[in-house]
Amino acid sequence: MNRANGAERAAAFLLGLVALLVGGGVVALHRWRVDRPVLDPVVLDLVDRHLPWVRVGLVVLGLVLVVLGLRWAWRAARPEAHPDLVLDERLVVTAKALAAAVRSDAERIGGVSRARVRVVGTPALRVRLTLRHGADVRAVWRELDDRVLVRARRALGVAALPATVRLDLAAEERERVR
């Protein structure tokens, strides 16, 4: 996740939290004080005097929130980019080739039964390893970090290649009784 996407998610969360708290507060005040208006009479008088502007302001605020919500939904629903890595004006490493090379190296690690690799973002790697039952997780992690990811960085000639790693433990194989 890049910083802009994270900032948008945080802003959407905070806006939703504020809306929830304000709505809950209005409902709570209304339930406890049924005989009195929720808003101060001075505020109600001000709203009555400037009703067209208040309506325009509320409509604009609603439209802004709808646009922000649609933009967020569009970003969340669109497919993730799988960028190729341009090393030179004549040399481009495709996302599939990079993923296949890293997957092949990762599957050679002792204790790994299956590896899945995807190239996403700027580029970055998403590595998902399925470990055999009884595999030494620390040894797998060390070999992935020291051998596979270092080799990928060296081959591409880049100083940094961010990676997200997920380790899954395979279910224990059951013996069949005959």
Side-chain angles (χ1 to χ4, degrees):
M1 173 177 16
N2 61 22
R3 287 186 185 151
N5 195 7
E8 285 181 12
R9 287 179 188 233
F13 173 76
L14 289 175
L15 184 63
L17 185 63
V18 167
L20 180 68
L21 291 174
V22 168
V26 168
V27 169
L29 285 175
H30 182 66
R31 293 195 118 197
W32 288 330
R33 298 180 181 188
V34 177
D35 57 338
R36 295 182 55 192
V38 175
L39 294 176
D40 190 84
V42 174
V43 174
L44 289 176
D45 185 45
L46 182 68
V47 168
D48 283 340
R49 281 188 279 141
H50 302 288
L51 192 57
W53 290 108
V54 170
R55 285 182 178 164
V56 168
L58 290 175
V59 167
V60 168
L61 178 64
L63 289 174
V64 166
L65 290 176
V66 166
V67 168
L68 288 175
L70 289 174
R71 183 172 180 240
W72 175 81
W74 173 255
R75 286 184 60 111
R78 76 174 182 214
E80 193 171 45
H82 300 283
D84 296 337
L85 189 62
V86 179
L87 300 176
D88 192 357
E89 57 269 353
R90 295 176 295 153
L91 181 60
V92 176
V93 178
T94 65
K96 285 185 179 184
L98 177 57
V102 173
R103 180 180 44 83
S104 175
D105 277 352
E107 285 177 342
R108 291 189 184 127
I109 297 174
V112 173
S113 64
R114 184 173 133 190
R116 294 171 70 191
V117 179
R118 291 179 33 200
V119 178
V120 296
T122 58
L125 298 176
R126 282 199 186 144
V127 180
R128 185 173 184 171
L129 302 178
T130 303
L131 305 180
R132 291 188 188 95
H133 183 70
D136 183 4
V137 176
R138 288 182 187 207
V140 169
W141 182 263
R142 194 172 22 255
E143 195 167 345
L144 177 71
D145 192 34
D146 294 344
R147 187 173 63 85
V148 175
L149 296 178
V150 168
R151 183 175 175 188
R153 280 189 224 106
R154 269 195 222 125
L156 296 171
V158 294
L161 184 60
T164 302
V165 179
R166 179 176 172 168
L167 300 176
D168 295 330
L169 300 176
E172 185 176 355
E173 294 182 18
R174 299 181 183 183
E175 292 183 27
R176 290 191 122 177
V177 178
R178 294 182 185 229

